[in-house]
Amino acid sequence: MQRNHRNGVIREVWARNFQNEFILFSHTLRFAGAGAVVAIDTEFPGVLQENAWKESDETHYRAMKESVELLPVIQIAVAIGSSYGKCLGAWNFNLHYDLSRDFHTDAAVNFLLAAGVDFQRHATEGIEPRSLGTMLQASGLSSCRWVTFAGMTDLLYLVQLMKQELPETLCDFEVLLEETCAGRHELRDRLPFGSLSNLARSHGVIRYGQAHTAGSDALVTLDLFFRISKSDDTHVESNKFDMESGKFDPSNGSAAAVHLKPSDFGDRSVAESRVASAL
C-alpha cells in the first residue's frame, strides 16, 4: 500500500490479500452510488507493431488486439470516484506474470523495472488473471462511467479480462464496450497534447505513488478528470464509445480519500456514514 498523508488511497493487491481487498473494492463501488466514475490504467510488457497507429483504424485495432492477446497484462488499476468528485480509493491489482516464460519486449521490461515493478514478486505472488476477470465481471464495474487517458490498450486488457476474449473487428469491439460500461470518457480527446504527468502538473494535480505504475496513473487520471470537469461549464463531450453524456459536477476537484476498512462493512450504518460524509 502506498504511504503518504492520504494513507491507504492506493491499495496494492496480490494473491494473498486478493479476497479481502476485492470485498472492499466491491463495496466501495456500491457505496459510490449512481453516477460513479472509475479511472482505469494498466501496465503491460510491450507493444507489437508499434507503428500500426499510422494505418487504418481497423488495422490498428487488429494489431492492438494481437498485442494484448500475446503480451499478458502485469498490473491493472481502478480508481473509484463519486459523481461529486470525491476519490474513494484506488486498487492496483498485481497479476501473475513470469518474465522467464511470458512474452515481452526488452524495452518495456527495462522501462517497468525503472518504475519499480517487481517481476519476481509478480511470478510468485501475482493474481491469476481469470480469477480477477470473473470477480470484475460480477463487481458492478459495468454500471460505472470509465475514464482513461490514451486508454484504448487499457480498455482492451480490461474487456479481455472480463469477457475472456476480444472481438475480431473494431466495430464489434465498440458494440461490446457499450454493453460493458455505462459510459466512457477519454481524456486525450479533451487534452490532445502532453504526457499524463505534464498535464497533471499544469492542472495542479498532485501525484501519489510512482509514475508508470498502474495505481498511481489511475489515480492521477481520476484527479485530472475531476479537475477539468469542475472547470468546464458545458456538458462532458460524448465520443464514439459513449452510451450517454452528461455533466459531471464535482464539488471538489481533488482526490480527497475516504478511508474504509473491511471491518466497516460488517456494520452497514458505519460504512454508509463514512462514505456519505465525503460525498
Side-chain angles (χ1 to χ4, degrees), residues 70-82:
L70 289 177
L71 303 174
V73 65
I74 297 173
Q75 295 178 341
I76 184 163
V78 180
I80 303 174
S82 73

Side-chain angles (χ1 to χ4, degrees), residues 45-47 71 97 99 103-113 119:
V47 176
L71 303 174
Y97 181 86
L99 190 58
F103 288 117
H104 60 270
T105 67
D106 291 341
V109 168
N110 291 334
F111 181 81
L112 293 173
L113 285 170
F119 283 99

Side-chain angles (χ1 to χ4, degrees), residues 186-207:
E186 171 54 60
L187 279 178
R188 186 53 100 184
D189 293 342
R190 289 282 307 279
L191 304 169
F193 305 108
S195 68
L196 178 62
S197 291
N198 287 340
L199 288 167
R201 281 193 295 269
S202 68
H203 285 82
V205 173
I206 298 173
R207 177 182 287 279

Side-chain angles (χ1 to χ4, degrees), residues 1-4 6-11 88-90 257-259:
M1 190 180 301
Q2 302 288 341
R3 301 290 179 182
N4 49 62
R6 299 189 312 173
N7 182 23
V9 72
I10 302 176
R11 306 182 70 88
L88 306 181
V258 179
H259 305 307

Side-chain angles (χ1 to χ4, degrees), residues 44 91 138 140 145 238:
F44 44 90
W91 278 258
R145 293 174 180 265
S238 298

